[in-house]
Amino acid sequence: MAFDTTRVGGVGEPLPERDILEGFDRLIAADRLFGADLNSSVIKKSGKGTPFLVRRHPSHHRMLALWRDIFANRVLPQEVLDALAPEVLGLAHGDGLLLFGKDRVLYDCRIVRGNEAVGHLTLSLYREREPVFRFLPFPRRPGHRIVYIEGISLSAQSTGYASSLFRHYERLFHGLGFHRFRLKASLTVGKYYWAKEGFDCEDRKQFAEMRENLHALVRRLGLPVEEQEVRRLNHASMVATFRRDLLIPVYRSADGYYATARDASHAEEFRFPLGKAFLLCSDPWDGYKVIYTDTPRRTGLVWSEGFLDHESRPGHPESPKRLEALFTALREEGMRESLIFLEPYVPAMASLHAVHDPAYLEAFREAAARGDRHFAVRDCAISKGSYEAALLAAGGVMAGIDAVLSGRSDNAFCAVRPPGHHAGRSSAMGFCFVNNVAAGARYARSAYGVERIYILDWDVHHGNGTQALFDEDPLTFFCSLHEHPSFCYPGTGRRLEKGKGAGAGATLNVPLAPHAGDREMIEAFEREVVPSIEAFRPGLILLSAGFDAHRDDPIAGLECTEDAYVHMTRRVLELADRHCEGRVVSVLEGGYRTESLVSSAIAHIKTLQGREGSPCSSARG
Ligand SMILES: [Zn+2]
């Protein structure tokens, strides 16, 4: 059954309490509602008819309180029971019960084919409480609604069933306003299967261990896998699909458990792809999957403390504070739970050499290691950690591209620094060292075969580095909106710069006069940028998203507001929907007044998520 999300999402009116109470009474009369303790010695299964040892029925008062807490009284008890038991691939649920525990509602059933029981399923539905700090004046927040998959077992081979059931539950619980699935992946097939379904380790340390163990396995078997490939894995689903081309032997025991080494009990040999084999043999882990209830699009956020290791001298506008402030704001806005966090990785040097001269990168590395205070030019201030941070920033864009092209997120915002769009093949300038967006574009082509890439740069400064790198490339379109070069750094980006050789016509520069605001920016965007995206038909859109065209930004002379960024973001998403399944990876460039950087970036990210932003009044008419 389909739930109206506005009804359960907190917008519509709750149902009258008497309807809910009548619903309880009807289920009690049909012997389908009981009270239960969560103590596992109390909840006992026997496969035939009496699955639980249950207490008497809880009081109406208690049932109603729990129902209100978990379902906000926006759905009837029988509706929940029906919706939890779809018939899928000839399998149905028998003896489905609702059990009321102290702080949760449980659903328990047998999975049946005709009259024959082939498995069972238990779900726990509850609300996770945020920790309460007694002496702090924070109001207690409602916490997340969780579906815990306590157990699912099937006697027959029914992966297709579990998968279809899970799809159904994802839609259902999305509609019911739940936030997370949780489970303990302990079964032999489960560990691989749940990872493939998008379940990640609850604990990041556990994931780091998983990656370390995979690396150890690779070393032990002497497999042709580069350390780099393992390092870039940042989600259990990436482990599940890792190196499908590389089959390794695993050994199965009589009870269906797998190991990577043959021994007395693990004797039967199979060959599986590396990632699958590894997960089949790995330790159980606690998994979770977020249900993105409150945003229409799933947006990834690339973030790492490693980006703060690039320090500039005091008073330098490009400081770690920019990102710290943005991250604090994301937390205060309550956006952390709705974003898919993506970890950047240090990219393979070969993928950086596609953009930068190896000797240039080496000189940068040496300058940072020596403790130089700047590199190449005086405005490119550096510290000991600058080289690693710059590499990580480029790898951050690659992580964003991985997420979007593998379908893990619909789009992504890469909150990276140092910025990159002024960096050329062998030149650092304008606070930039490694051209992040350019490295990302080359990576998207080499790793995923994306043919046509459109880079839109709306930083107030011309993206001269990116332009130079793709000057002669007809398949990478570079478009820059910026303050006119006669008035603004770096003094390039005139209209007549349109690309060279084979790339002639694949560069578009749209300079704006000083003091231009939202109206001028949006008009230029609609008049020139939109038709060029339409004509180019990209397979991926990358944004060089600087927010220094904001009127409060001290470093240039345009006077835009958040409205312009919201408008352009929304339109870029529409165009991406039309041409490339919504694939947009946005990369932070400039933005040097903390307040306007943060408010603009937040508005941009919310728009990427498909949330209704502030109306862009200047865009009308
Ligand atoms: Zn800039």
Side-chain angles (χ1 to χ4, degrees):
M1 78 180 302
F3 283 97
D4 175 2
T5 46
T6 58
R7 197 175 95 194
V8 291
V11 183
E13 285 294 306
L15 300 164
E17 287 195 349
R18 63 164 192 283
D19 292 3
I20 309 266
L21 285 169
E22 265 175 39
F24 291 150
D25 287 338
R26 240 175 266 139
L27 290 184
I28 288 171
D31 267 352
R32 300 189 67 188
L33 189 158
F34 298 94
D37 275 343
L38 269 179
N39 187 331
S40 57
S41 63
V42 175
I43 300 175
K44 278 211 177 73
K45 285 179 187 302
S46 74
K48 290 192 189 124
T50 51
F52 279 81
L53 290 178
V54 291
R55 302 260 180 95
R56 59 195 160 74
H57 302 120
S59 71
H60 279 113
H61 174 74
R62 201 173 117 195
M63 287 194 291
L64 204 53
L66 207 47
W67 205 259
R68 203 185 301 123
D69 199 28
I70 296 173
F71 298 108
N73 281 4
R74 289 188 164 89
V75 60
L76 293 169
Q78 184 69 50
E79 286 181 307
V80 170
L81 210 43
D82 290 345
L84 287 170
E87 195 174 317
V88 177
L89 301 173
L91 298 181
H93 292 191
D95 305 331
L97 298 175
L98 286 182
L99 295 127
F100 280 70
K102 198 163 158 203
D103 64 343
R104 60 195 63 204
V105 172
L106 291 109
Y107 169 71
D108 183 82
C109 73
R110 292 187 303 149
I111 299 168
V112 294
R113 182 184 280 120
N115 289 327
E116 178 205 1
V118 294
H120 80 258
L121 169 74
T122 309
L123 302 175
S124 255
L125 315 175
Y126 61 98
R127 203 188 261 277
E128 180 186 57
R129 295 289 167 202
E130 303 239 326
V132 182
F133 302 101
R134 265 191 349 169
F135 304 108
L136 292 177
F138 299 140
R140 189 167 157 154
R141 285 198 290 189
H144 298 116
R145 298 186 210 179
I146 314 266
V147 189
Y148 188 88
I149 302 169
E150 300 243 10
I152 176 164
S153 71
L154 289 160
S155 56
Q157 290 284 357
S158 310
T159 333
Y161 171 75
S163 182
S164 307
L165 182 69
F166 189 71
R167 288 283 94 77
H168 170 82
Y169 279 168
E170 260 198 303
R171 282 192 301 275
L172 172 69
F173 288 106
H174 179 279
L176 287 170
F178 277 71
H179 300 94
R180 275 176 165 223
F181 284 103
R182 201 169 270 175
L183 85 145
K184 179 123 185 148
S186 53
L187 305 168
T188 290
V189 287
K191 288 173 290 197
Y192 166 65
Y193 165 74
W194 292 115
K196 234 176 47 171
E197 285 291 322
F199 278 78
D200 202 6
C201 294
E202 180 85 51
D203 179 351
R204 294 316 293 164
K205 272 196 219 119
Q206 205 172 21
F207 183 77
E209 235 166 72
M210 187 188 271
R211 200 166 42 190
E212 199 36 61
N213 291 339
L214 175 58
H215 189 57
L217 177 68
V218 163
R219 268 187 314 230
R220 184 161 65 76
L221 300 180
L223 299 173
V225 175
E226 283 182 45
E227 188 173 342
Q228 190 53 45
E229 297 176 70
V230 178
R231 210 188 299 155
R232 57 170 258 209
L233 300 170
N234 60 29
H235 190 279
S237 65
M238 293 173 83
V239 178
T241 55
F242 187 56
R243 292 298 302 262
R244 277 194 260 225
D245 57 316
L246 189 63
L247 299 181
I248 67 161
V250 291
Y251 305 93
R252 191 163 77 174
S253 72
D255 353 313
Y257 290 93
Y258 291 87
T260 52
R262 191 197 292 271
D263 60 25
S265 52
H266 300 89
E268 196 183 351
E269 182 176 326
F270 291 84
R271 294 181 85 79
F272 287 128
L274 176 57
K276 178 176 181 175
F278 169 75
L279 280 174
L280 287 176
C281 302
S282 68
D283 293 334
W285 42 277
D286 290 318
Y288 80 98
K289 179 168 178 166
V290 177
I291 305 171
Y292 293 91
T293 345
D294 53 357
T295 65
R297 293 178 198 259
R298 294 166 305 141
T299 297
L301 178 79
V302 175
W303 162 261
S304 166
E305 293 206 338
F307 301 143
L308 308 179
D309 294 344
H310 165 58
E311 290 166 39
S312 44
R313 59 179 166 267
H316 194 285
E318 206 289 288
S319 88
K321 289 199 188 80
R322 300 168 64 230
L323 282 195
E324 286 169 333
L326 176 58
F327 198 66
T328 304
L330 285 169
R331 196 171 51 219
E332 283 168 357
E333 291 274 324
M335 290 168 72
R336 290 200 333 177
E337 193 53 43
S338 67
L339 290 163
I340 302 173
F341 274 71
L342 306 171
E343 286 169 56
Y345 49 87
V346 177
M349 288 316 286
S351 63
L352 292 178
H353 294 161
V355 176
H356 294 289
D357 192 339
Y360 161 77
L361 290 175
E362 183 52 23
F364 175 31
R365 192 190 66 75
E366 284 168 6
R370 255 196 323 264
D372 286 6
R373 308 298 296 276
H374 61 264
F375 175 60
V377 286
R378 220 187 109 68
D379 63 352
C380 284
I382 58 170
S383 64
K384 286 255 181 205
S386 294
Y387 176 75
E388 278 78 18
L391 261 49
L392 199 63
V397 178
M398 293 175 191
I401 283 165
D402 287 333
V404 170
L405 290 170
S406 69
R408 205 180 137 211
S409 71
D410 295 320
N411 52 48
F413 181 72
C414 310
V416 299
R417 67 178 284 279
H421 71 150
H422 296 306
R425 183 148 184 85
S426 303
S427 55
M429 62 183 280
F431 320 154
C432 302
F433 306 89
V434 172
N435 196 312
N436 305 318
V437 83
R442 288 269 154 83
Y443 175 71
R445 181 163 299 144
S446 65
Y448 294 95
V450 182
E451 211 185 324
R452 305 173 70 81
I453 299 172
Y454 191 101
I455 303 175
L456 171 59
D457 184 330
W458 69 46
D459 188 282
V460 77
H461 305 102
H462 177 236
N464 59 310
T466 316
Q467 174 174 306
L469 284 163
F470 297 111
D471 237 0
E472 299 183 26
D473 180 352
L475 295 176
T476 306
F477 197 105
F478 177 71
C479 171
S480 182
L481 283 158
H482 48 264
E483 186 177 0
H484 196 283
S486 297
F487 306 92
C488 191
Y489 184 87
T492 52
R494 291 171 193 273
R495 282 191 174 277
L496 48 84
E497 298 166 30
K498 291 178 174 173
K500 293 177 188 159
T507 296
L508 172 64
N509 280 299
V510 186
L512 296 163
H515 304 297
D518 288 350
R519 174 177 290 278
E520 291 81 1
M521 176 71 95
I522 289 169
E523 273 174 11
F525 175 85
E526 291 292 333
R527 190 180 60 238
E528 306 195 45
V529 180
V530 172
S532 80
I533 297 176
E534 294 276 22
F536 185 69
R537 291 178 289 105
L540 171 69
I541 298 178
L542 301 179
L543 297 176
S544 259
F547 297 102
D548 42 11
H550 195 282
R551 65 180 170 206
D552 295 338
D553 198 280
I555 218 164
L558 295 193
E559 295 176 5
C560 294
T561 72
E562 292 74 5
D563 286 356
Y565 299 123
V566 167
H567 177 89
M568 292 192 288
T569 308
R570 193 178 293 159
R571 294 286 280 143
V572 164
L573 287 176
E574 282 169 23
L575 293 161
D577 282 344
R578 210 147 53 237
H579 294 289
C580 50
E581 297 163 48
R583 296 197 290 242
V584 174
V585 176
S586 175
V587 181
L588 180 64
E589 299 283 358
Y592 302 102
R593 189 187 161 89
T594 309
E595 292 82 354
S596 59
L597 165 69
V598 167
S599 59
S600 301
I602 295 268
H604 172 59
I605 296 168
K606 282 186 174 173
T607 312
L608 285 174
Q609 292 185 309
R611 296 179 194 240
E612 281 305 307
S614 56
C616 29
S617 48
S618 47
R620 295 198 196 103

